[in-house]
Structures are given as C-alpha cells and as structure tokens.
Amino acid sequence: MPLVAPFETSFGRTTQRRILLVEVDVDGVIGWGECVAGEGPFYAPETIETAWHILRDFIWPALARKEFVAAADLWGMLSAIRGHNMAKGAIEAAVWDAEARQKGIPLSKLIGGSLAEIPCGVSIGIQESDDELQRVVERELDAGYQRIKIKIKPGYDVEPVARLRRRFANVRLMVDANSAYRLEDTPRLRELEAYFLMMIEQPLGWDDIWSHAELQRKLMTPICLDECIHTEEHARAAMALGACRIINIKLGRVGGFTPARRIHDLCRDQGIPVWCGGMLESGIGRAHNIALSTLPNFSLPGDVTASKRYWTEDIIDPEVTVTPRGTIRVPAGPGIGFEPKRDRIDRLTVRREVLR
C-alpha cells in the first residue's frame, strides 16, 4: 500500500508498506490480524519475511488443530518460541477478533476496555524544511488532533522544536528519536527542556534500559520508552531503574493483547501512564489499536489516527475517522467493528499461503 506522503524517521524513509495480514478460522468464525513488522530490521529485529517464516514454520504448527478455551490461552501456547513478538501478535490479535465475533461483542469489551471514545494525537515524520513542518502541524491541529509528535534525529532536533513552540505556545508537543542518540548526547537533549515537552520518546539505544535511567536522572522532561519494552519484565525493570515515566505500548511489539494487558496493568499499578503507538498500520491493525486504547490506563493521546492520513483508500469498511475534537469513537459492532474489504485486499495481495 503506497503512503499518501513519505514518512521519515531517524532510521529511514518509507513510501509504501508491505503488510502481512493474518486471517484465521476459529470454529467457523473468521478473525483478522496484522503483522506490524517492517520491510527491514531497523525499528526492530523482525521483518515481514522473518514473520512469514515464523508464522508458517513454528507458530502455526504450535496451534494447528489445538483446542483452547479463549484467545488469552494463545500466549502460553507459544511460550516455547522466543521473541518474534510481531509474528505472534498478528495471529493472537486475529484470534481475539474471532472470539469477540463468536460472542457477538466488541473486541474492546472482550479485553476489558471501558472508553467509548479515545483521544488521538499524530506522529509527524521528518520534513524537508521548518516551513513545511509548520504547515503540516497547522493542518493536523485544524483536523482536531490533541497532541503533536515530531520525529527528531541529530541535526534535526532543537531548532524545529524551538520554532514550533514559538508558533504554537500551548500545543501538547512531544518528540520521538527512535534510538538516534547516545548517552554522551545528554547536553543536546537537555536543550529540549526549554520547550516544555510532554515527553521525549526513546532517545537512546533500542535495548538500553540502563542508559535511559542515567539520562532520566538528568532530565526534568519525562522519558517515554518504546523500542526498549518488549515484555512485562522489560517494563518492570524500566520502572524499577527509573528509566522512564511513561510507556508506549504497541500491540505488535509486545506480542498481542495478553502481554499488552499485563504491561498495562503493571503500569497502572505503578502510576505510569501509557499510550498506544502506531506502526503505519492498515485499517486492520488500526482497528486493533483502537480496541487496545480503550483500556483505562491509556490516559494520553496515542498515534491512532484517521485512515486518510496514510492511505488514499484503506482496506476496511468504514474507514477510521477522527472527530473535530480529536477523538475516535470506538465501534460498537462485534470483533474489531470494521469489515475488511476483501476485493481491495485481493487486488493488493502479492503473496498468499493457506495453512490447514
């Protein structure tokens, strides 16, 4: 699926997404999930190709023709497979969708969600100029989004933030470095403190909780961890070390709804707010993110946005829309609450495999 506009981060520029969808048949009821792995191993070690391999050769043999009571059982059934959370999360989410459809209830209710609307922010990639960045921010604020996140990297950080803060004095503003800095860059990151940011997301190494703890002790601005948090144990260690004050929970990064709910509950009990990050998902992955964001400790606006921000035409009906006040109404229909457009999916599909 080609993006409406290129999306650039500290680790690269994306113009189109190869998306791996999982369609599962659970006792005759169909559920859908999406693997959020990228084309290359830059955000995380997984890729679309590794996920396809793990799903076909290891995850499916562990689940095929097995009996289980609920979607929540899948995480334990896959415990022998180390890592590969994005592959696990794709099929786990699809089974949750199927279970909710079987029961005739929204997926948000099945996972224990309580919100009828979720607050939305936007993630804005690195722009070619500060003028273009300002125009994009103005457009997103006019659309009603409640929080602005911009991507930063060395050489593109303090100056664009300073300009945005001068132009938008009261906007909730945050930055995301996607692990682009090192601990020795602390003086540069401290310069961002002057601009009253909500948080600095994942400034240091993708697997370096210790250095984030060192950095957080030197900053008043909260650090939010993203790439560092793959498991409940990672979240517990980060909180114990003081490595962050906020955690971004991405369904695929942690492996599905069961581990995501555990991390959510742990953060809630420790007084750490969470929010839902995005991975340039199609509407299927976006629908799962909406359901996840209804859990009560998702108290900060996430990266769940309208379909039209990324796609000229999405693969779900109806498409995801955002209200003028910057919220998404949680669908009341069974499962994810959206129907996949099978004709469009078929036209876009370049590879298919049926596992029985």
Side-chain angles (χ1 to χ4, degrees), residues 111-112 232 235-236 239 249 257-272 274 292 295-298:
I111 67 169
E232 181 183 357
R236 184 177 293 109
M239 287 185 279
I249 300 178
F257 283 103
T258 298
R261 293 196 303 174
R262 291 175 182 171
I263 294 170
H264 165 275
D265 293 351
L266 175 66
C267 290
R268 178 200 60 200
D269 296 344
Q270 296 295 320
I272 299 291
V274 302
L292 180 65
L295 294 173
N297 195 38
F298 280 83

Side-chain angles (χ1 to χ4, degrees), residues 95-209:
V95 176
W96 277 96
D97 179 32
E99 181 180 347
R101 290 176 186 271
Q102 281 183 340
K103 294 179 176 178
I105 60 174
L107 175 58
S108 60
K109 298 300 182 185
L110 182 62
I111 67 169
S114 57
L115 300 179
E117 290 186 74
I118 62 168
C120 303
V122 291
S123 178
I124 297 173
I126 294 169
Q127 303 297 307
E128 293 183 357
S129 69
D130 285 351
D131 287 341
E132 180 60 23
L133 175 63
Q134 182 171 307
R135 283 192 291 270
V136 173
V137 170
E138 287 176 340
R139 184 176 69 239
E140 303 301 358
L141 291 174
D142 288 344
Y145 288 103
Q146 299 183 15
R147 179 268 285 156
I148 299 294
K149 177 174 84 173
I150 69 167
K151 299 289 187 176
I152 62 171
K153 64 180 179 179
Y156 183 90
D157 43 33
V158 175
E159 290 76 13
V161 169
R163 183 167 180 177
L164 285 181
R165 183 51 80 202
R166 286 193 297 269
R167 174 65 180 82
F168 307 102
N170 299 315
V171 165
R172 288 197 279 184
L173 181 64
M174 60 174 284
V175 297
D176 181 7
N178 290 116
S179 303
Y181 295 84
R182 298 181 178 181
L183 192 56
E184 50 263 39
D185 295 316
T186 297
R188 185 65 173 175
L189 294 168
R190 290 186 70 176
E191 291 184 48
L192 294 168
E193 302 253 67
Y195 304 105
F196 305 101
L197 300 176
M198 293 178 66
M199 66 191 88
I200 301 173
E201 186 179 0
Q202 195 67 42
L204 307 181
W206 72 279
D207 58 352
D208 191 351
I209 293 175

Side-chain angles (χ1 to χ4, degrees), residues 8 30 44 57 64 92 102 108 111 162 207 210 227 249 255 282 315:
E8 184 173 343
I30 300 300
D57 298 330
E92 200 253 21
Q102 281 183 340
S108 60
I111 67 169
D207 58 352
W210 183 88
E227 286 96 321
I249 300 178
S282 77
I315 60 171

Side-chain angles (χ1 to χ4, degrees), residues 1 4 12 14 20 47 82 135 139 146 183 246 256 259 262 276 287 315 327 340 347 352:
M1 294 175 69
V4 169
T14 302
L20 193 164
T47 70
R82 297 186 181 184
R135 283 192 291 270
R139 184 176 69 239
Q146 299 183 15
L183 192 56
I246 300 169
R262 291 175 182 171
C276 182
I315 60 171
T327 63
R347 288 196 303 271
R352 185 191 309 269

